[in-house]
Amino acid sequence: MAYNLLKGKRGIITGALNENSIAWKVAEKAHEEGAAFVLTNAPVAMRMGEMNALAEKTNSQIIPADATSVEDLTDLFTKSQEVLGGKIDFVLHSIGMSVNMRKTIPYAESNYEYFLKGVDISALSFHKMLSVAKKLDAISEWGSVVALTYMAAQRTYPFYTDMADIKAMLESIARSFGYHYGIEKKVRINTVSQSPTKTTAGTGIKGFSDFFDYADAMSPLGNADAESCADYCITLFSDLTRMVTMQNLFHDGGYSSTGVSTEIMHKFGLK
Ligand code: NAI
């Protein structure tokens, strides 16, 4: 059911790789809610071609941009304003990649070249995006920027390797930039800390499937899926949350506030 929450708003949505991507669901919902937006992804992801179907379905243009390149990001924000006919009202940062994790390198033995690449793609890209937008004055007053994160930024999950530190940095950038952009232009910046979700990035994590079941059993409402994450992002892009900024918001069915659930206790022999 749509509520026209984003009627007349212009956006940029990163990271829709395929129909499992969280960003894909955000794009579908944003379209339903009346927004016009540009889709973007790394040129290499574009070659897979799946995004074209989403662009067609949501009536949107695709502008390729490597999120680590200030030049590409400048081009993205400049062209997006031309295509959409004005300043940008919302941005979704839905970008994550760790080479250390992909190569199943244990945390304590992290390769630093890979580590830096992970930082650049998954955290610094957020700073670059915001910095470019601010320099171009491309985001409208009361505009809303959301990045997706995971709770390993606060608590240790051994399998999350260097992405834990990278997500901590991402969340910190949301706070720091949220202050500066808020003071100057009333732009809001938040992170949404999402449940484990069956996407390309998610299932690339070692032991993901077992952990997914564990988190599901730990959460009073069960794991939040990509679609409900998209719903939450839409509320954050809307004017209904205009005083929310610099927050890390858990979207996890109650997982982050649960010490242990009875279901898990039963698995350990509780009668
Ligand atoms: P996904 O694999 O569908 O999306 C990741 C996206 O990052 C892809 O579209 C990929 O092409 C893009 N990307 C990688 N390098 C890039 C670059 N240099 N420039 C531009 N784009 C680049 O997976 P998912 O799960 O939808 O990931 C989206 C976000 O959600 C990520 O930040 C991830 O860490 C976060 N997240 C995912 C969870 C999960 O369990 N799937 C849980 C919590 C957060």
Side-chain angles (χ1 to χ4, degrees):
M1 189 169 152
Y3 306 88
N4 268 336
L5 284 177
L6 304 184
K7 191 158 186 246
K9 291 198 187 292
R10 308 176 186 98
I12 296 178
I13 297 179
T14 71
L17 182 66
N18 54 40
E19 64 177 7
N20 296 323
S21 299
I22 298 169
W24 191 285
K25 312 284 184 209
V26 174
E28 287 178 335
K29 300 260 177 193
H31 179 61
E32 279 170 34
E33 293 297 336
F37 49 84
V38 157
L39 295 168
T40 182
N41 211 322
V44 60
M46 222 71 79
R47 267 182 242 139
M48 298 174 198
E50 291 186 51
M51 263 177 93
N52 292 330
L54 180 65
E56 211 165 290
K57 186 174 173 190
T58 60
N59 238 333
S60 45
Q61 281 199 31
I62 300 175
I63 301 178
D66 178 343
T68 64
S69 158
V70 170
E71 200 186 331
D72 281 13
L73 292 171
T74 305
D75 184 61
L76 171 67
F77 276 91
T78 307
K79 284 198 183 139
S80 296
Q81 290 182 89
E82 286 165 18
V83 166
L84 299 170
K87 285 191 202 291
I88 306 303
D89 301 301
F90 67 91
V91 180
L92 177 73
H93 180 287
S94 186
I95 300 170
M97 206 278 299
S98 157
V99 189
N100 278 308
M101 193 189 279
R102 226 185 237 183
K103 292 187 186 276
T104 55
I105 297 172
Y107 177 71
E109 291 153 37
S110 293
N111 171 301
Y112 294 116
E113 214 175 292
Y114 299 160
F115 206 141
L116 285 172
K117 192 163 187 197
V119 168
D120 200 13
I121 292 177
S122 319
L124 218 51
S125 61
F126 194 39
H127 194 286
K128 289 177 181 174
M129 214 171 256
L130 291 163
S131 177
V132 162
K134 189 163 174 293
K135 207 172 282 173
L136 296 173
D137 193 18
I139 302 183
S140 52
E141 286 207 356
W142 301 103
S144 171
V145 184
V146 170
L148 298 177
T149 186
Y150 182 59
M151 208 179 70
Q154 286 81 36
R155 296 183 198 169
T156 296
Y157 293 84
F159 52 81
Y160 211 64
T161 68
D162 58 353
M163 272 300 262
D165 305 328
I166 295 168
K167 289 298 194 193
M169 184 178 179
L170 180 80
E171 293 175 17
S172 178
I173 290 170
R175 277 187 298 276
S176 303
F177 228 116
Y179 175 83
H180 294 286
Y181 221 158
I183 291 265
E184 279 189 41
K185 293 280 172 187
K186 307 251 183 294
V187 170
R188 334 195 264 112
I189 308 176
N190 296 290
T191 49
V192 168
S193 188
Q194 164 66 6
S195 291
T197 314
K198 289 177 178 166
T199 63
T200 305
T203 50
I205 300 168
K206 191 171 173 240
F208 178 86
S209 160
D210 292 337
F211 180 70
F212 181 92
D213 294 342
Y214 168 78
D216 198 41
M218 270 286 282
S219 313
L221 303 182
N223 284 333
D225 62 11
E227 206 172 322
S228 54
C229 183
D231 282 332
Y232 193 38
C233 292
I234 298 295
T235 67
L236 291 169
F237 294 149
S238 83
D239 295 334
L240 299 179
T241 52
R242 58 194 279 132
M243 294 309 283
V244 181
T245 192
M246 300 159 70
Q247 303 298 312
N248 179 45
L249 303 160
F250 289 102
H251 183 260
D252 63 2
Y255 174 87
S256 50
S257 288
T258 305
V260 73
S261 66
T262 318
E263 195 178 337
I264 293 289
M265 292 293 281
H266 282 314
K267 288 193 199 300
F268 281 88
L270 177 79
K271 297 280 180 276

